[in-house]
Amino acid sequence: MQEIRNVPSQSLKTVLKTFGISRSQFYKDKDALASLGFCFEYRKGSGFRITEDRLTPIHDLSLSDRVILLFALEYLSTSGDGLLAAKAIEVGRKLAGGLDSPFREQLLQCFDSEVTEKTYGVKPEVFLALTDAVKEGRRIRMLYCRSGTWTESWREVDPRRIYLRQRALYLYARTVDETPPAWKVFRLNRIREIQPTGICLPPTPNAEDGFCERQRNAFLAFLGETPKPITIRFTGEAIPYIRECQWHESQHLEEQPDGSLLLTVSVAEPQEVVRWARQFGKNATVVSMADEDNVEEGLSSHPEKDQ
């Protein structure tokens, strides 16, 4: 059990060699473990997938313990950013999965309704299909609604990661329906339907897909390869608020003789910084931005860029 938990991506051949057992003995042990509450399946190319685990250290959690943890995970998934928050949804479903029927099904339905669907606007069946596709490296077709034109079309992609930014779930995937293929981001609540393609291409461990670098360049939700600088001047009541947080890892603060504070960041989409700074009203002014030459002006003059 511990071997499968720790290294789920290994092959069946490796497990047989590790324990010095035959294939027939392996399946006997698998059935014995299932009777104890530890169930898993194996697929060549993607490894092991645990479908039920009542033998983990949380097996003694009471019903109230599990419900409390579920709603704690709901808070994490709605208040945090990044891969951890997206993972919280999956963990929540596992907690509910350890309960007896019919309460298990009722709580899963409640969790899907309150977190996956109401909070993020994502259909539970879409979320489950995508998480399985990511784990198993399966290519999918999805009916996607594009922003701006708001038209729906079928896209064929290789899903790689699900992540959360600014309280919205996104899919990072490699497109295979355009030339050349490209890594792109799709918002989950705009995916209307998922269809399997029957093609399985498990990702190579530690393969470079550019996600980490692109996410580092994001200020809010927009990912990109090439960061662009933008400088905002803050005055008055906005200054203490800007000082107290690390808004981006690239940020540089510079005190000015007139008492104002300059914030400079290099991000994938500078217009996201403009939209964020609008909350400070007249206390925030654009000093310079990529592709513009030292133009200091009010934020209201910058049109929003459709994402």
Side-chain angles (χ1 to χ4, degrees), residues 213-241:
E213 183 63 30
R214 291 179 180 215
Q215 181 159 259
R216 277 195 295 269
N217 292 334
F219 186 75
L220 295 178
F222 192 93
L223 306 187
E225 294 180 354
T226 306
K228 307 176 187 69
I230 178 172
T231 300
I232 307 288
R233 183 189 303 277
F234 292 95
T235 59
E237 297 177 354
I239 293 178
Y241 187 68

Side-chain angles (χ1 to χ4, degrees), residues 197-211:
T197 64
I199 299 174
C200 187
L201 300 168
T204 304
N206 302 319
E208 177 56 46
D209 58 18
F211 176 80

Side-chain angles (χ1 to χ4, degrees), residues 36-203:
L36 298 173
F38 185 80
C39 303
F40 60 89
E41 58 185 27
Y42 174 76
R43 293 189 179 182
K44 189 175 181 180
S46 59
F48 295 89
R49 177 174 177 269
I50 299 172
T51 56
E52 183 179 6
D53 188 355
R54 284 185 272 173
L55 303 177
T56 59
I58 65 168
H59 71 279
D60 59 345
L61 288 178
S62 66
L63 172 60
S64 59
D65 290 335
R66 289 177 184 267
V67 172
I68 289 171
L69 282 172
L70 277 166
F71 283 100
L73 287 167
E74 176 185 355
Y75 174 77
L76 172 62
S77 66
T78 56
S79 63
D81 276 356
L83 297 168
L84 177 62
K87 190 71 175 175
I89 302 175
E90 188 178 344
V91 173
R93 291 184 55 78
K94 288 182 179 179
L95 282 170
L99 298 170
D100 292 331
S101 185
F103 191 75
R104 176 179 63 237
E105 290 77 16
Q106 294 170 346
L107 194 55
L108 278 172
Q109 183 179 5
C110 176
F111 189 76
D112 283 337
S113 173
E114 294 300 319
V115 180
T116 310
E117 193 161 18
K118 287 186 179 179
T119 302
Y120 300 120
V122 180
K123 296 179 180 179
E125 61 269 23
V126 167
F127 183 80
L128 289 174
L130 285 175
T131 52
D132 285 345
V134 169
K135 286 179 184 177
E136 300 169 9
R138 288 191 279 108
R139 181 171 295 175
I140 62 164
R141 293 182 73 243
M142 62 182 185
L143 184 60
Y144 188 72
C145 181
R146 184 176 181 178
S147 64
T149 62
W150 305 109
T151 55
E152 296 180 357
S153 61
W154 285 97
R155 302 299 309 271
E156 191 165 336
V157 300
D158 293 328
R160 185 60 180 269
R161 301 171 187 259
I162 294 174
Y163 68 100
L164 178 74
R165 289 194 74 91
Q166 294 298 300
R167 301 193 178 187
L169 284 166
Y170 294 90
L171 171 69
Y172 187 69
R174 179 178 178 270
T175 62
V176 293
D177 56 1
E178 57 186 6
T179 303
W183 289 102
K184 291 190 176 181
V185 170
F186 301 90
R187 188 158 168 156
L188 261 63
N189 65 346
R190 294 177 188 155
I191 301 176
R192 307 298 189 229
E193 185 181 343
I194 299 288
Q195 290 183 352
T197 64
I199 299 174
C200 187
L201 300 168

Side-chain angles (χ1 to χ4, degrees), residues 30 49 52 95 109 126 133 257 273 276 292 304-305:
K30 181 176 182 293
R49 177 174 177 269
E52 183 179 6
L95 282 170
Q109 183 179 5
V126 167
V273 184
W276 162 77
E292 296 186 19
E304 290 195 17
K305 185 176 182 180

Side-chain angles (χ1 to χ4, degrees), residues 235-306:
T235 59
E237 297 177 354
I239 293 178
Y241 187 68
I242 298 304
R243 283 200 189 108
E244 70 180 4
C245 290
Q246 176 80 20
W247 300 102
H248 193 264
E249 65 177 33
S250 70
Q251 82 175 39
H252 174 70
L253 297 178
E254 185 178 349
E255 304 282 349
Q256 298 300 293
D258 62 359
S260 63
L261 180 68
L262 297 184
L263 169 69
T264 301
V265 293
S266 293
V267 297
E269 179 47 74
Q271 285 291 349
E272 286 191 326
V273 184
V274 173
R275 289 195 290 273
W276 162 77
R278 282 184 180 142
Q279 66 184 299
F280 300 102
K282 64 181 181 180
N283 289 323
T285 307
V286 175
V287 174
S288 63
M289 188 163 55
D291 302 326
E292 296 186 19
D293 297 325
N294 298 323
V295 179
E296 184 158 348
E297 53 187 8
L299 295 171
S300 61
S301 64
H302 287 270
E304 290 195 17
K305 185 176 182 180
D306 179 59

